[in-house]
Every structure is written in C-alpha cells, then in structure tokens.
Amino acid sequence: MSNDPLLQPYQLKHLTLRNRIIVTAHEPAYPQDGLPKERYRAYTVERAKGGVAMTMTAGSAAVSKDSPPVFNNLLAYKDEIVPWIREMTDAVHEEGAAIMIQLTHLGRRTRWDKGEWLPVVAPSHHREASHRAFPKKIEDWDIERIIKDFADAAERMKAGGMDGVELEAYGHLIDQFASPLTNELDGPYGGSLDNRMRFCFDVLKAIRARVGDDFILGVRYTADECLPGGTGKEEGLEISKRLKQSGLIDYLNVIRGHIDTDAGLTDVIPIQGMANSPHLDFAGEIRAATNFPTFHAAKIPDVATARHAIASGKVDMVGMTRAHMTDPHIVRKIIEKREEDIRPCVGANYCLDRIYQGGAAYCIHNAATGRELTMPHSIAKADRRKKVVIIGAGPAGLEAARVAGERGHEVVVFEAANDPGGQIRLTAQSERRREMISIIDWRMIQCEKLGVTFHFNSWAEADTVQAENPDVVIIATGGLPHTEVLSKGNELVVSAWDIISGDVKPGTNVLIFDDAGDHAGLQAAEFIAKAGGKVEIMTPDRSFAPEVMAMNLVPYMRSLQKLDVTFTVTYRLEAVEKSGNELVAHVGSDYGGIAKQRTFDQIVINHGTIPLDDLYFELKPASSNLGEVLHDQLIAGRPQTAWRNADGKFQLFRIGDAVAARNTHAAIYDALRLVKDI
Ligand SMILES: Cc1cc2nc3c(=O)[nH]c(=O)nc-3n(C[C@H](O)[C@H](O)[C@H](O)COP(=O)(O)O)c2cc1C
Ligand code: SF4
C-alpha cells in the first residue's frame, strides 16, 4: 500500500472513499432537457475511470421551477431524471468511485426570463449584479414550498443511486437567507443569526427526514463573504460549528468569498495569474475549529499542492476540479508514478467562462473533455505506421505531433522559430498569462517520450517537406497579425503582437483599436500603460473584449482601471494620417453619421491573424487530396479518404490559425479530431 497521503482511503460515515481527491460540484452544461444523458454520463464516468475518489455531479441542480438555470443545469425537480441518474451512478460505482450531486435553489442568482418565466425570489428585493433580476421578497408559502422541493429532489437523487447530496450555500438562496446583506425579512427567517440560519436547517431537517441516515449530506457554504456588512469570518466560524452541531450533515465544504459579481466569483475560483490555493489555510482553520470532515477546492491545480493540503491536515478531501477537466486520469497517473504525464490545468478558465456565455464547458487544451462520446482521452495505435510531417510547433502543430506519435507514426516537425509555442509563447510573455506555456511544455514532454523529431530554426520549403517522403503533411503554420484594416494609413500602425513581443516600443499617447476582442488587445494595453503610456482601447463592438469573457476580464480590469486606461465602445477607427510627429485617427461608427479626428503618437491594431498559408498552397498540387477535408468523415470520426489527384504522393491537411484566426481550443480540437484517425 502506498504511503502517499493522497492515496489513503477516507471513511466518511458509512462511505469509504478510495483516496483523498474529489471533483467538486461543477455544471459543465452538458445536460439534454435538464437530464444527464449519454454525453453527461460519459464525461462523469471518464473521471471515475481515472481514479478520483468521489465526483460531485452537477453543480446547482435545480430543486424548484422558480430556480431556472441560467446556463444548462440539471433539473432535479423532474421525476424523469431518476432513471438517468441511476444509469450514471451505476456506471460510476462500477468504476469504484463514489458519486454525489449538488442541489440548490438559486434564489436571486438567476433570471425571470428563463424556464417557466416565474418571478425570482429572495429574502430581499436587492438585485444580484451578475444576473440582474430584481427579486420578489420571498413569502411564507414560498419558503414552505421550496423546503419541500429540496426534500423531494433529495429523495429522487437517493432513488437514483446517489451516495449523497450537497447543498449549495454561497450566493444562492440558502446563503441569501444567511447573509445580513441579502436578508431583510422580519419574523422567523430574518434578523438574528438563529433566524437567518433557520431556512438552511429547515431544509436539512426536511431532507434528512426523507433520506434517512445512510445517505451523505453536506453543505458547501461561505464561511467569510469578504464583504462589508456580510457574513464575516467570526460569524462564519459560528455557522461552521452550528452546522456540525446540528448533527444533520456529514461534512463541510468550505468556500471563502462571494459570487454576486464577476470579480467576487473570480476570487472564489481564481484563474491563471492569480495565486494558487488562496483559501486553503482558511479551510484549514475551519477544520481545526470544528474537528469535522472538511472538503475544499480553489485553484489547487497540481498534485504537489494537493498532497500538501492533505499531509498538512488542512482538509480531509481536496478538490481538483478544473484539473480533472484538463486530465481526467490524475489519480491513475499518481498511482502509476507518472505525475509528469498529467496534463496541467493552466487556469485559462475557458471552461467556466464559456458556460456563463451559454456554451458548454470545454477545456482550452483538452478537446476530448465533454466530447467523450467522440474524442478519446487515450489515443489508440494505428494499424499501419505512417510518416507524418508537421510544419509549425504552435498548439495545433504540437497537438498533431503528440496525437500522431501516440498513434505510433514516425513524426517530424519543422518550426521556423528557435522555440516551440507560436502565439502561446507570445501570450505567455504577460505575467498574468505565464501559465499558458504549460500547454506547450506538456506537449513537448509527451512528444519527446514518443520520439517525435523536431527541427527548430528551420523554414520548411515545399522541397524540404517532399524530401521527407511523407505519407501525411500537416500545415500548422499559424498566422500573422492582421493590421491592414484601414482605408488609409495601414503602414502607420503597429500590431498588438508587436507590443507584446517587445519588437515595438510602447508610445506615450496610444490608441488601441481592438476589433478582435481577444486577450492580445488587453495585454498590449497593459504593457503600454505599465510603461507609462496613456491608453485608450476603442472597439466597434457593443462591449469590449467579448472573446476574453467574464472571469478572464477581472484581473485585466483590476490592472487597467488602476492604470487609468479608458474604454470606448461602438466607435470604429477608419483611417490614420501622419501630421508632423503625430498620428491623426479618423474615427467613425457602424451606426453612421460620425466623423471625428483624434491625435495619438502610436496606434495599435488588434484584428486577429491572417493565415500563413504559402507552403500549404505550394504543396497542394502535389498532394493526393489537394488539401481537401471531407467534413462528414471528420465529424463522424472516420479516416479521410478524399482522392483528387492520382499523382499525389501524400495527404495534405491544414489546421489551426493556418486556416483562419480562431483560438487555442479550436487549434487543438482541429488537430485531435483529424489526427486521431490518421
Ligand atoms: C464549469 C464549472 C462549473 C461550476 N459550477 C459550480 C456549481 O454549480 N456549484 C459549485 O459549488 N461550484 C461550481 N464550480 C466550482 C468548482 O466546484 C470549484 O470550486 C472551482 O472550480 C475551484 O476548484 P478548482 O480550482 O479545483 O477547479 C464550477 C466550476 C467549473 C469549472
Ligand atoms: S480551460 Fe483552463 S481552467 Fe479550465 S480546465 Fe482547461 S486548463 Fe483548466
């Protein structure tokens, strides 16, 4: 038996957990009709197969109809959920993992124009900044109904074979009762701590009465809202003790912070560039004060920190939630002593930011996550070894090289630069995006193990490629900044990448025209403003940086607002002229009727990239498929059989930004989807 603290079993009442690593509640927005169907099951079971001790399915599964999900959550109020839950729990148990589900009523943290268009309820009329609904002040009959809904939902989950349920009590209805900031009720549910906690205990009692003792019950709650006038640490400790003393629950799952704003949410679930494990010591204090089973998750992305969390006795079970979205097989790799093979979570938060935009959660650099029904986490060997030549060692090229290597092919990569990484190497120049480089480093380690040959500093020509006698050629050359977007003066501007790479010195009075709305514009702004320049970011969009998304925007705003960067939306830079040492910006608007002139000493354009595709078009006539990708085969996961040129000696494909400017996930998905069938 291993003496690794992470691999020690844990006895949670009657439930034996096989190790100390859990996946905490997270709704990846994969339900269909609010039910955990095949896709949901496949995603969940993959993590159980990977060895995790317990997976908390869902996040915020809705117990009532007036708690409509704002993204695609499970609907625990539907009776028809039970057989779907049963199929999932059976499959997870077969893999040796425990499975629970988080239930909630969102209270004001939703919208009235979702689901059945019912009024949103909360213990006050205060609106939550993130979701914007003005709530109805909850009435006695609402309270009775919702308590019963919780008990009904818990009973359904027990009937479906769950090992237990967890209540969400941070930022949702239960906590809206508990916090003095959101509870303005008189009478039994408002005022004193006893009264504010009454709803939570009424719910717990009703559930316990329904499910009995042999069912795990836990609460995930904020023990310090970190808000003036809110639940502070002292009251949080008192709440922790009362939860334990109630005898109704089996563990505490500690959160510190508040989630009513994007900024608050991002401090609770920190992203890349923010400190690791910021609330672990706090969770440790709760455990020490209560001497009760304590769970916790918040940016503990690596095994070493997780091991410390357990070994130091700060928590009993450590959550590695996003880490499991990046690599579902963490525990298996720990057991096999292959920790260096664990694909690292880089905190990019593409997963979470997407769900808040109404999309499904995808991991920025594991395209198989959430696509378990079609994309493999473990790549199968090919029947025949081929020679695969890849041009470009950015994320697309390296993923292609890794997957081709796993297939057992002979793989040769040509890269013009000294180092691998492409645009990721550039983006990682910003301190806040430094973690992105692990996307490259992990692939290089894998490629090295797989015997991939790299030629750096090598500008591959068509002859170089053909001299390799390849069976397959993959062009992953990426793109170059696209700045030629003005009617006049394109030669007077620089690109965001010029600034980020350090190739161009920042100006002192700078306009950034951001038409791409991605990280590069904000990164350039930060470089310039930190160097002392005055910066205005202008975009023709209704909001700025839409591709950066909510939580990723938080650290930028914290920095850029302090640096006095200004943000101008709905205006378009149309042309630039030189006037002495100054640049005159001609500004219009897509809404029409505007023609302004402004002066700057530097104008930066962020407008994505244009494909670097010369080599592709040079090789195209010599290929057997003339570059064609048969989409039906690609989507169905079948090998490509396009045959357009009888004289062609190799198949030719193009992936990532070499096709069109997209993002890292798209580049990696292009590569995995194509190469897994080569
Ligand atoms: C896609 C996604 C959805 C989430 N939804 C919930 C949720 O509904 N309820 C909840 O308590 N936590 C939710 N979380 C937060 C996680 O449980 C966890 O606290 C957070 O990801 C920090 O842990 P980590 O750094 O190990 O990922 C979600 C996380 C992700 C990535
Ligand atoms: S998208 Fe980023 S934060 Fe989310 S799981 Fe993947 S690497 Fe981690």
Side-chain angles (χ1 to χ4, degrees), residues 342 453 455:
I342 295 172
T453 305
H455 299 289

Side-chain angles (χ1 to χ4, degrees), residues 279-301:
H279 310 309
L280 179 59
D281 288 345
F282 179 75
E285 286 180 52
I286 301 277
R287 182 176 186 263
T290 57
N291 193 21
F292 199 56
T294 301
F295 299 4
H296 174 67
K299 201 171 188 238
I300 299 174

